Amino acid sequence: MANPTQQLVAMLGELGRVTDEPGRLTRTFLSPAMQRANALVAGWMKDAGLTTRVDAVGNLIGRVGAQFCCALDHAGTKAGHSKSAPLPKTLLLGSHLDTVRDAGKFDGPLGVLLPIVALAELKRRGITLPFHVEVLGFSEEEGVRFASAYLGSEGYCGKLTAADLTMRDADGISVGETLKKFNDGKFFLPKPAHKRSNLLGYCEVHIEQGPVLEAKKLSVGVVSAIAGQSRFKLTWTGKAGHAGTTPMALRRDALAGASEFAVGIEAIARHTPGLVATIGALTVSPGAANVIPGEVVHTLDVRHARDSVRRAALMQIGRLATRIADERRLTRCWQRTQENGAVECSPKLTAALARSVQAVQGKSISLVSGAGHDAVVMSSLAPIAMLFVRSRDGLSHHPDEFTSAHDLDVALRVITDFLQRLAAENS
Amino acid sequence: MANPTQQLVAMLGELGRVTDEPGRLTRTFLSPAMQRANALVAGWMKDAGLTTRVDAVGNLIGRVGAQFCCALDHAGTKAGHSKSAPLPKTLLLGSHLDTVRDAGKFDGPLGVLLPIVALAELKRRGITLPFHVEVLGFSEEEGVRFASAYLGSEGYCGKLTAADLTMRDADGISVGETLKKFNDGKFFLPKPAHKRSNLLGYCEVHIEQGPVLEAKKLSVGVVSAIAGQSRFKLTWTGKAGHAGTTPMALRRDALAGASEFAVGIEAIARHTPGLVATIGALTVSPGAANVIPGEVVHTLDVRHARDSVRRAALMQIGRLATRIADERRLTRCWQRTQENGAVECSPKLTAALARSVQAVQGKSISLVSGAGHDAVVMSSLAPIAMLFVRSRDGLSHHPDEFTSAHDLDVALRVITDFLQRLAAENS
């Protein structure tokens, strides 16, 4: 019989073949492949002793009751439990089952399948837990089909709004229409799945999608916070002119200004520990070899684990842009396209997770997540913790996305240890 | 009756309405509009006393014989001229009648129409010239229809090659097929229209297409040289990565490298008098807001009136690129796409032209032409001189291209004076 890690590798492989697009892995919100994925994963959940259901927004939820509460229903209602003892709480574990287009098979599914394998292993060993556990496979995190991400976890947390329902996909079909059809004609905005006071927390296992663990030669690390993020569209306007006939002193070159800005924000980020600042997209107009650029439009993405540091850096970046524009007689226009505050992980849960990492790996490091995750939304409902697992080449959102069996094994042993550690603390 | 400047303005306006594309001005090599333009301008040439013909590559050539040579044919053969006196030489004046797409009406036509008006004015005043004059309306300079520019002047100078004939337009029609059809089925590569020893020189009037005259508040200036030019395509390759999860120290950001390069070449150009260096087109891959650029491809255009200065600057630019690539762990790839040596204007002709500018404008300045012109090709056949006329906002290749009647008047008086000055020197 395969060991738990081999089982996990096989499950990731099998789920990675459930796709909406032949030849590449793509699963989007409530698509046929997502429904097949839910059925496949639900089967594995049942094998591990969980009862399963799919909620109104398509999230797959597998649940196993606390050891001394044999007849708990999904709302966690007490049944057959001593009236004097406190009600057992629920620990949430999960991630998302949807993917980007042409995805890898780890981003999302790992955080759903690993807890199932961990719970199966505890069951095999006859270890029971003094709290309920829900394994969550969110229906939407990547924001592929609709403009907005996190539809799954927002639904679970009762954070979906009427406005969210009006967003439309490329075919003009709205979120609301999609959900109504999925629920046989009736859809109401869901309430939170739990009261915060009933929850122990939410723990998400996810590939790092970055190079830090690889650079430090470690399999896993504990996330201390999910970075806050500001995104902008910047437009620099100068004056197009003939590249041969306009002397340097008479130029108002938008690309030269944007280039000075790019070099400047890089220097600011390098001098601010933990800050990342990126220009990922940039276009030049008119864009001919012999014409001085009259306009440059580019993105700017700035992230840091502490909102105060990010805000101070943005002030510095703003002053840089003003100086460059003034000196070069350019105009610049800022348009803020996204703004998310940083989310701190729970010190208590994170400390427990770090102790498990220390026990399994011999060393625990803490990382900031630069990317958003379901944990961001889940922090509105529960204390959160996250375990990052090494990604080869820091790669994600790509078919070559890869995490080794060795690293999966470490992560699996960390989560198994973590569950037992929480059990000891909560028994 | 309209004065000569008013006539010139009216002629520019009328010719500016002869187009292949309704609603905007476009005339390309041997197109129907070019043939209508040739017919229109030939009429004006005849009114000014010139005999006209169109050569095998579609150039319009108007000719007026020297005063004491009444029956000269187009080859300049002596007829009725004293055998003891030297044969009169020929002065060439001209520019091109084709345009870019959606062009202005000055770039090219000014250098054809202004000499016609100047010669008409001399004729009106009863002033004759002791040399032959040819006014040349070249059929192709802008390189719109085929990949290569200067088909007209190259044909006139006998520089067209069999290889040139193989170039094809967007419809797959070759230069050779086009010329064969234009010549009723027979086309042979033309020989030079003149022996160099028979020519006084070639003088081209052209709008500046740059901001120098405007900045100096002058109508006209004398071109000292046409800059040499090197063009490259550069590719910077780093490593794409997640903008949120990749710390600054672990990045190999191709755009950050290209930006440092852009700032660096600008500094080199600013510190090298007369050098211009431009990145006009730049593309970023993958080009998403949240992805660190893995590859940047951009153009580089470097020009200077002295080839030695341009070459030294290119060495400096090469060292800059090497340093940036090494420091940032990027690779860079250079591809040279164009290389033209600088062309010196004739000191003698240019001095005469400067004296005329001094006489008419009160002050003469000398400029380097950063753009190529028919004069570049014509320098293979004759000493060259160029007069630049102020362009509003330095603009060209655009419907808003504009030169004021005042500046046209100054230019017209300069060329009229120049013709008389050459007459005095050559009589």
Side-chain angles (χ1 to χ4, degrees):
Chain A
M1 188 188 147
N3 70 32
T5 303
Q6 288 167 338
Q7 280 174 32
L8 177 58
V9 170
M11 289 157 72
L12 285 162
E14 191 172 348
L15 182 54
R17 288 187 290 274
V18 179
T19 176
D20 290 311
E21 298 185 308
R24 60 181 198 166
L25 173 53
T26 305
R27 288 194 303 265
T28 62
F29 186 47
L30 299 182
S31 72
M34 274 302 284
Q35 299 185 38
R36 296 199 303 278
N38 275 357
L40 179 65
V41 177
W44 290 328
M45 285 176 165
K46 284 171 194 154
D47 293 346
L50 285 71
T51 55
T52 67
R53 66 184 177 103
V54 173
D55 74 7
V57 298
N59 295 318
L60 174 65
I61 302 169
R63 183 176 171 93
V64 57
Q67 61 165 338
F68 40 77
C69 302
C70 306
L72 281 168
D73 65 14
H74 267 106
T77 308
K78 188 167 76 169
H81 188 262
S82 155
K83 285 197 173 183
S84 59
L87 271 174
K89 295 191 174 187
T90 300
L91 176 70
L92 308 174
L93 295 159
S95 191
H96 58 96
L97 291 175
D98 71 319
T99 71
V100 296
R101 292 196 197 287
D102 201 14
K105 61 190 178 188
F106 297 88
D107 181 351
L110 176 61
V112 187
L113 303 186
L114 189 145
I116 297 171
V117 175
L119 290 169
E121 177 61 9
L122 290 183
K123 185 184 170 205
R124 195 188 63 78
R125 292 192 217 157
I127 299 169
T128 53
L129 299 171
F131 44 78
H132 315 304
V133 177
E134 275 188 15
V135 178
L136 308 174
F138 293 115
S139 55
E140 206 289 322
E141 190 262 0
E142 296 287 8
V144 171
R145 181 169 171 193
F146 296 97
S148 180
Y150 303 128
L151 292 174
S153 49
E154 287 186 339
Y156 188 84
C157 293
K159 291 188 76 178
L160 272 189
T161 64
D164 293 328
L165 303 185
T166 63
M167 291 181 300
R168 290 181 186 276
D169 66 11
D171 297 327
I173 301 167
S174 73
V175 174
E177 287 156 11
T178 307
L179 285 168
K180 207 164 171 180
K181 189 176 171 202
F182 180 70
N183 289 281
D184 299 326
K186 277 185 238 166
F187 177 75
F188 306 99
L189 287 173
K191 294 199 163 49
H194 298 274
K195 282 188 186 170
R196 189 178 182 96
S197 57
N198 290 339
L199 294 174
L200 273 179
Y202 169 78
C203 179
E204 183 166 355
V205 180
H206 204 284
I207 58 167
E208 182 197 348
Q209 306 182 266
V212 176
L213 290 170
E214 190 170 69
K216 293 192 183 288
K217 302 189 194 313
L218 291 172
S219 297
V220 297
V222 178
V223 175
S224 59
I226 299 167
Q229 180 180 0
S230 301
R231 278 202 208 168
F232 302 90
K233 183 176 134 183
L234 266 90
T235 305
W236 299 83
T237 309
K239 192 169 191 319
H242 194 297
T245 60
T246 313
M248 299 307 290
L250 295 179
R251 294 182 176 207
R252 292 169 51 208
D253 182 335
L255 181 60
S259 296
E260 188 180 348
F261 181 73
V263 170
I265 61 151
E266 186 192 41
I268 290 170
R270 282 179 174 174
H271 288 94
T272 311
L275 191 82
V276 287
T278 309
I279 295 175
L282 182 148
T283 55
V284 178
S285 301
N290 64 342
V291 181
I292 297 161
E295 185 180 272
V296 169
V297 179
H298 64 78
T299 59
L300 172 66
D301 179 310
V302 178
R303 310 191 196 193
H304 195 273
R306 284 174 56 200
D307 290 340
S308 60
V309 175
R310 177 170 47 89
R311 282 194 211 103
L314 288 177
M315 295 290 286
Q316 210 179 340
I317 288 171
R319 287 192 297 272
L320 171 72
T322 302
R323 179 183 63 70
I324 291 171
D326 289 351
E327 286 176 6
R328 292 177 174 274
R329 299 175 298 131
L330 303 172
T331 60
R332 81 214 166 284
C333 168
W334 293 81
Q335 188 187 334
R336 192 183 297 257
T337 54
Q338 198 175 325
E339 179 80 12
N340 299 112
V343 174
E344 291 274 334
C345 290
S346 152
K348 191 179 155 194
L349 274 185
T350 297
L353 191 56
R355 282 191 293 274
S356 295
V357 171
Q358 179 78 41
V360 174
Q361 185 173 248
K363 181 180 179 184
S364 177
I365 64 157
S366 120
L367 298 91
V368 170
S369 173
H373 292 289
D374 289 305
V376 171
V377 176
M378 293 301 290
S379 69
S380 69
L381 193 67
I384 62 163
M386 284 195 78
L387 182 74
F388 268 177
V389 190
R390 173 162 52 185
S391 315
R392 185 177 64 191
D393 286 336
L395 196 69
S396 72
H397 291 185
H398 190 282
D400 292 343
E401 188 179 277
F402 181 74
T403 294
S404 71
H406 172 265
D407 292 346
L408 294 176
D409 184 61
V410 171
L412 189 55
R413 287 189 284 133
V414 165
I415 292 301
T416 311
D417 184 276
F418 175 66
L419 289 170
Q420 293 174 272
R421 198 172 292 271
L422 285 188
E425 286 174 8
N426 288 274
S427 62
Chain B
M1 189 190 143
N3 69 31
T5 304
Q6 288 166 337
Q7 281 173 30
L8 177 58
V9 169
M11 289 157 72
L12 284 163
E14 191 173 346
L15 181 55
R17 288 188 289 275
V18 179
T19 176
D20 290 311
E21 298 186 308
R24 61 181 199 166
L25 174 53
T26 304
R27 288 195 302 266
T28 62
F29 185 49
L30 299 181
S31 73
M34 275 302 286
Q35 299 186 38
R36 296 200 304 279
N38 275 356
L40 179 65
V41 178
W44 291 328
M45 285 176 163
K46 284 171 193 152
D47 293 346
L50 285 72
T51 56
T52 68
R53 66 183 177 102
V54 173
D55 73 8
V57 296
N59 297 316
L60 174 65
I61 302 169
R63 183 176 173 96
V64 58
Q67 62 165 337
F68 39 75
C69 301
C70 306
L72 279 170
D73 65 17
H74 266 107
T77 308
K78 190 166 75 169
H81 188 265
S82 154
K83 286 198 173 182
S84 59
L87 269 175
K89 294 191 173 187
T90 300
L91 176 70
L92 308 174
L93 295 159
S95 192
H96 58 96
L97 291 174
D98 71 320
T99 71
V100 295
R101 293 197 196 288
D102 201 14
K105 61 190 179 188
F106 297 88
D107 180 352
L110 176 62
V112 187
L113 302 186
L114 189 145
I116 298 172
V117 175
L119 290 169
E121 176 62 10
L122 289 181
K123 184 183 171 205
R124 194 188 63 78
R125 292 192 217 157
I127 299 171
T128 53
L129 299 171
F131 44 79
H132 316 303
V133 176
E134 276 188 14
V135 178
L136 307 172
F138 293 115
S139 55
E140 207 290 323
E141 190 262 359
E142 296 287 9
V144 170
R145 181 168 170 194
F146 296 97
S148 180
Y150 303 128
L151 293 174
S153 50
E154 287 187 340
Y156 188 84
C157 293
K159 290 188 75 179
L160 270 189
T161 65
D164 294 327
L165 302 186
T166 63
M167 291 181 300
R168 291 182 185 275
D169 67 11
D171 297 326
I173 301 167
S174 72
V175 174
E177 287 156 11
T178 307
L179 285 167
K180 206 164 174 181
K181 189 176 170 200
F182 180 72
N183 289 281
D184 299 326
K186 277 186 236 163
F187 175 75
F188 305 100
L189 287 173
K191 293 200 163 49
H194 299 274
K195 283 188 184 169
R196 189 178 181 96
S197 57
N198 290 340
L199 294 174
L200 273 179
Y202 169 78
C203 179
E204 182 166 355
V205 180
H206 204 282
I207 57 168
E208 183 198 347
Q209 306 180 268
V212 176
L213 290 171
E214 190 169 69
K216 293 192 182 289
K217 301 188 194 310
L218 292 171
S219 298
V220 297
V222 178
V223 175
S224 59
I226 298 166
Q229 180 179 359
S230 301
R231 278 202 207 169
F232 302 89
K233 182 175 134 184
L234 265 89
T235 304
W236 298 84
T237 308
K239 190 168 191 322
H242 194 297
T245 60
T246 314
M248 299 308 289
L250 295 179
R251 295 182 174 208
R252 292 169 51 205
D253 182 335
L255 181 59
S259 296
E260 187 180 348
F261 181 73
V263 171
I265 61 151
E266 187 192 41
I268 290 170
R270 282 179 173 173
H271 288 94
T272 311
L275 191 82
V276 287
T278 310
I279 295 174
L282 181 147
T283 55
V284 179
S285 300
N290 65 341
V291 181
I292 298 161
E295 186 180 272
V296 169
V297 180
H298 65 78
T299 59
L300 171 66
D301 179 310
V302 178
R303 309 190 197 195
H304 195 273
R306 283 174 55 199
D307 290 339
S308 59
V309 175
R310 177 170 47 90
R311 280 193 215 104
L314 288 177
M315 294 291 285
Q316 211 179 339
I317 288 170
R319 286 192 297 271
L320 171 73
T322 302
R323 181 184 61 71
I324 291 170
D326 289 351
E327 286 177 6
R328 293 178 172 273
R329 298 175 299 134
L330 303 172
T331 60
R332 80 210 169 286
C333 168
W334 294 81
Q335 188 187 335
R336 193 183 296 257
T337 53
Q338 198 176 326
E339 179 81 13
N340 300 112
V343 174
E344 291 274 335
C345 290
S346 151
K348 191 179 157 195
L349 274 185
T350 296
L353 190 57
R355 283 191 292 274
S356 295
V357 170
Q358 179 80 39
V360 173
Q361 183 172 251
K363 181 180 177 183
S364 176
I365 65 157
S366 121
L367 298 91
V368 170
S369 173
H373 293 289
D374 289 305
V376 171
V377 177
M378 293 301 289
S379 69
S380 68
L381 194 68
I384 61 164
M386 282 196 80
L387 182 74
F388 268 177
V389 190
R390 174 162 53 185
S391 314
R392 184 177 66 188
D393 287 335
L395 197 69
S396 72
H397 291 185
H398 191 282
D400 292 343
E401 186 179 279
F402 181 74
T403 294
S404 71
H406 171 265
D407 292 347
L408 294 176
D409 183 62
V410 171
L412 189 54
R413 287 189 285 133
V414 165
I415 293 301
T416 311
D417 185 277
F418 174 67
L419 290 170
Q420 293 174 275
R421 198 172 294 270
L422 286 188
E425 285 175 7
N426 288 276
S427 62

